[in-house]
Amino acid sequence: MRIKCINNSNKLPNITINKVYTVYEGEFTISVGEKQYYMFKIEDDYGSVIPYDTKYFEIISNENTNYIEKNISDDTYKFTHKFISYDKFWSMLYDEAGSSIEDFWNAKKDIYMSEMGKQEMHQIIKGDKEDERDFVLKMLLETNEDCFIEEVIRLGQKQLDEWTLNKNMETEFLYLSHFKSECVNEFFIEYLAETEKGNEKLDRIVYEYFNK
């Protein structure tokens, strides 16, 4: 489930009007055969996964079928993505225990893959949240989606021009190296020509690309 913030009358600090959020868990009641949602647990702007009142949001996508519903009292139900629906998951996640972090990322990826459109992915790749961009590019590698090649090249060129090398560039290079194309060839040749820039990890990705 994906939801959009449509109201922040209480000026909560960690949600933004018109921004889209992912729902990992929530609660609802059933009245006259219809679900009435009253709580969504989302990853907010601060990166915390906490519950919010549904009055701040509207549902914009509800295509993912991997939520498990559980009756918690009378006509009240909880729904949780199945990858994170096991007992004590949230306390384990906060303590970074067991496989909880990996399970959370897998739930996030599953929801993104079924409910996130290409336009939103494009905005994330262009945006300044490096970890979110990294996550989306890794997801696109798994789906063999090549429609963001030019945008990733522009991003890489900008970072190299500004000498803003970071750990996320490795994911960008891995994404590009997955697709044989003239524009990727040119970008990697340009990268190799800038001998004072880059690092061993990026070099290895480029060399392996040309030696496929």
Side-chain angles (χ1 to χ4, degrees):
M1 180 185 288
R2 312 291 311 293
I3 56 176
K4 182 168 72 173
C5 179
I6 58 171
N7 169 36
N8 193 4
S9 55
N10 291 343
K11 298 183 179 179
L12 299 176
N14 295 325
I15 58 174
T16 303
I17 292 289
N18 292 324
K19 185 173 180 179
V20 177
Y21 298 89
T22 298
V23 178
Y24 298 95
E25 186 173 88
E27 295 181 5
F28 62 89
T29 59
I30 294 182
S31 177
V32 196
E34 292 188 1
K35 293 179 179 179
Q36 304 291 330
Y37 295 97
Y38 64 88
M39 185 276 282
F40 292 136
K41 185 172 283 189
I42 65 170
E43 184 176 12
D44 62 22
D45 296 348
Y46 187 70
S48 299
V49 184
I50 57 176
Y52 283 85
D53 193 308
T54 60
K55 68 181 181 181
Y56 301 113
F57 307 96
E58 68 175 1
I59 298 172
I60 61 169
S61 174
N62 192 16
E63 301 298 321
N64 191 288
T65 59
N66 287 329
Y67 290 93
I68 294 176
E69 296 182 358
K70 180 181 179 181
N71 179 246
I72 53 178
S73 67
D74 296 330
D75 293 328
T76 303
Y77 295 80
K78 175 185 291 185
F79 67 99
T80 310
H81 191 279
K82 69 178 185 180
F83 293 166
I84 56 175
S85 62
Y86 52 87
D87 190 36
K88 298 183 180 179
F89 165 77
W90 294 109
S91 61
M92 291 176 65
L93 180 66
Y94 300 142
D95 292 336
E96 299 184 0
S99 63
S100 59
I101 295 178
E102 182 180 357
D103 294 337
F104 178 77
W105 293 133
N106 285 334
K108 180 175 182 176
K109 180 172 64 177
D110 183 65
I111 298 169
Y112 274 24
M113 289 177 69
S114 62
E115 302 202 49
M116 179 179 283
K118 289 183 178 179
Q119 183 176 358
E120 187 179 354
M121 293 181 189
H122 181 76
Q123 292 302 316
I124 290 173
I125 292 171
K126 287 176 58 180
D128 56 4
K129 290 195 172 183
E130 294 178 354
D131 289 343
E132 187 74 352
R133 180 198 306 144
D134 200 56
F135 183 85
V136 168
L137 287 176
K138 288 178 179 177
M139 181 181 73
L140 292 171
L141 273 171
E142 293 186 22
T143 58
N144 205 35
E145 178 59 71
D146 64 355
C147 64
F148 298 100
I149 289 176
E150 293 183 2
E151 189 60 51
V152 175
I153 287 175
R154 281 193 290 269
L155 175 65
Q157 288 172 330
K158 181 175 183 293
Q159 290 170 326
L160 289 173
D161 289 343
E162 298 174 353
W163 282 39
T164 53
L165 294 177
N166 55 63
K167 63 182 178 65
N168 303 84
M169 281 199 74
E170 185 177 349
T171 305
E172 295 162 20
F173 272 52
L174 281 171
Y175 172 78
L176 293 174
S177 71
H178 201 63
F179 308 103
K180 282 285 187 180
S181 74
E182 188 62 32
C183 58
V184 174
N185 290 348
E186 292 176 359
F187 173 68
F188 281 161
I189 290 171
E190 178 184 339
Y191 165 78
L192 292 174
E194 298 284 349
T195 55
E196 75 277 13
K197 300 179 182 180
N199 58 46
E200 291 183 3
K201 289 184 178 180
L202 299 183
D203 290 349
R204 184 169 61 252
I205 293 170
V206 173
Y207 291 140
E208 289 177 355
Y209 169 82
F210 283 117
N211 289 321
K212 286 181 181 178

